[in-house]
Amino acid sequence: MGTHAVRTRQGKRSRRRGRRRFVDYPRSGRKGVRRWLPSWRQLLASAGLFVTAVAVLFICVYVSVDIPDENASARREANVYYWSDGTQMVSTGEVNRQNVELDQIAPSAVHAVIAAENETFYEDSGVSPKGLARAAVNMARGQETQGGSTITQQYVKNTYLSQDQTVTRKVKEFVIALKVDRLKSKDEILKGYLNTSWFGRGANGIEAAAHAYYGIPAKKLNPSQGALLAAVLKGSEQYDPSISAANHERARGRWAWILDRQVDVGLMSKKERAKYRVFPEPRKQSRSTSLGGQTGYLVDVANRYVKLHTGLTDEELARGGYQIHTTFDRGQVRRLERAVRRVVDRDLDPKRRAADRHVQVGAASVRPSDGAVVALYGGPDATEHFTNNADTSGVPVGSAFKPFVLAAALEHGVSVRQPAFAEARFKDRAPRLRQSVLADSAYAADGTLRLSDGTPDPDHPTLAEALVSGGNATYVRLGKDIGRDKVRRTAVAAGLLPGSMARLEPTFSIGTSTPSAIRMATAYGTFANDGVRHDPYSVTKVVKDGETLPGLAPPTSRRAMDPQVAQEVTNALRAGGKRVGADVAVGRTGDQDRLKSAWFTAFTKDMSTAVTMFRVAPDKPQLLPMSGVGGKKSQRGNVLPPRIWQEYRR
């Protein structure tokens, strides 16, 4: 019985030994530690199984992850405005970015970025497996997952994904980078990366960065400057040299390393490298998107012109990406602003005189030969005073309107009664004749007209005399005898807008109309241009995505009045004018004006300028009285606009 039991147990063990397991682990026939050590076959099989599983997983992820649409922020650009000389005035918008083509970036700057960020960019498949593995390890350690990305991966992150530092985002970045590398050329990827990267100082993209750090476009960066911009890509908060001394030291070290690195990878010769030993100090940190000072007024005028002549809407402009080239001259704008500030600071004292409070100034300069708006003063600061004083109506122009009355008289003549015998015969129904007049014709307030013999006569001033000094009654009567409708047509033909014309009441001829400073400068420019009018324009070109928008050719000229008429008005104005090099004509509000404004409009052959001064309180739409502005001797502020003009033209 015992022997049989033993045999049965041995048979069962033999049957178990003869039956092979699918996975022989723990290993049979081994004892102790060796029982738990896998064989080489097991290790190889496990490795193969792991690789297969990873490959299958990768294929599943690759198939399931599509290239998403670009981020809205990656598509958003700034609108960039340029001075008349082509230098950048300002960029506006939520995102300070101006996308440029690769050939608009200095090659040396491109080389610096490649050497610093991804020297194998043109040879690799767009991804860095090491970077993905490092991200996984860092996450396991509780650290950030950043580091090790190729240029393609960084482009994908900037353009298609968020900036979150997670393994999930990193895996998506890896997969999308592979697909993007297959679909896009290396140059397209590089261009996209350089246009979407953050350089600090509010600058998205290398074009905005070049302006923010050096005040130049990206195509003008030299190799040293390009190396510094490549350095700040690593993190502007640590490598912008203007932030701190420590930053400066870090930036200097990385700048030098990038230049050396370009030599090491064959992107720069040693001879070229030797030229750049001095650190390229960037300009002081500032945001280029400020609309303070006069900039906001300039942008306002440019935007109005663009919308009027291209059909762009506010919404389309707000999307950004427009390069807007203006007619504004940086030097003239600054001189005009400085002139206004000097006179206002010197001659007004709002703390001591209540009449000096709420004083506003507007001014504009237009080139008579083509209508280009060269400069304007819209107010003290566009971020505080929102109304553009240079381009607003509502301020009566006063006696500065009289030259248009004189021009109409010279062009159309005046209606006068027949001689005395006819007047006696017809009494109050005496026929009237249209009679020509000259600027030196004597014309009394009662309508008496006679040719001047050159003898001064206070009761019968010439039209030229009444133009530059007083003469309101004379010009009221003159406007009536010409026909106020003809005066209006003459003023509009010269360049004033029909919508700014006042009602045709008796005072119409002495300036109840309310043109803007820009339009007054334009209309006086017609006199300077021998009667040929050019409408004002402030934008010469708008470019979007490399294409120039139509509709922005300079306005064509048109004849507004006979050249002899324009010359005679000019000569009449010159009699009371100022001289600054060339001949100057002047129109101003005279001592007899009772309007709530003061104007001074003057021109040379190459520049026509209008200056207006008025008072308006923030909570009151009506203009305030000008009486007492600037003190008792200021003639209700009338002496101040000429002083601004004189300061400006020095």
Side-chain angles (χ1 to χ4, degrees), residues 619-638:
D619 57 342
K620 295 180 181 179
Q622 296 84 9
L623 295 181
L624 300 175
M626 290 288 289
S627 179
V629 171
K632 295 180 180 180
K633 297 181 179 180
S634 74
Q635 301 171 5
R636 293 177 295 281
N638 287 320

Side-chain angles (χ1 to χ4, degrees), residues 416-427 430-433 435:
V416 297
R417 292 185 185 278
Q418 288 266 17
F421 71 88
E423 186 171 326
R425 178 181 174 187
F426 292 101
K427 297 184 179 180
R432 300 182 73 85
L433 299 176
Q435 182 170 338

Side-chain angles (χ1 to χ4, degrees), residues 109 407 465:
E465 291 168 343

Side-chain angles (χ1 to χ4, degrees), residues 111-119 227-228 230-231 234 239 249-265 268 273 276-277 279:
H111 293 162
V113 170
I114 291 174
E117 297 291 311
N118 185 186
E119 65 187 69
L228 188 276
K234 192 171 179 66
Y239 290 91
E249 185 177 352
R250 276 191 295 267
R252 187 181 183 88
R254 186 161 178 80
W255 161 80
W257 176 83
I258 290 173
L259 288 171
D260 292 338
R261 187 65 179 162
Q262 290 181 74
V263 176
D264 294 340
V265 300
M268 179 184 286
R273 167 66 181 93
Y276 305 107
R277 299 296 179 187
F279 184 68

Side-chain angles (χ1 to χ4, degrees), residues 113-121 124-135 138 145-158 161-166 169-175 177 193 233-234 254:
V113 170
I114 291 174
E117 297 291 311
N118 185 186
E119 65 187 69
T120 62
F121 169 71
D124 63 34
S125 60
V127 296
S128 171
K130 290 182 179 179
L132 182 60
R134 184 182 300 114
N138 286 345
T145 62
Q146 63 187 5
S149 295
T150 63
I151 283 176
T152 305
Q153 287 176 263
Q154 293 180 68
Y155 164 65
V156 166
K157 178 182 67 175
N158 294 343
L161 301 173
S162 70
Q163 301 296 314
D164 296 338
Q165 296 292 341
T166 64
R169 200 272 297 158
K170 201 75 176 177
V171 170
K172 286 184 178 180
E173 173 193 299
F174 188 93
V175 173
Y193 171 67
L233 277 173
K234 192 171 179 66
R254 186 161 178 80

Side-chain angles (χ1 to χ4, degrees), residues 574-585:
R574 184 180 292 123
K578 312 288 182 183
R579 280 185 176 270
V580 180
D583 289 338
V584 175

Side-chain angles (χ1 to χ4, degrees), residues 79 81 92 299-300 302-322 324 542 544 549-550:
N79 288 327
Y81 298 79
T92 66
V299 168
D300 171 64
N303 283 348
R304 290 189 194 185
Y305 190 85
V306 168
K307 288 185 289 185
L308 179 63
H309 291 273
T310 67
L312 287 176
T313 64
D314 286 325
E315 182 180 358
E316 288 170 323
L317 271 175
R319 291 175 189 162
Y322 295 93
I324 300 170
V542 175
K544 169 74 169 176
L549 273 61

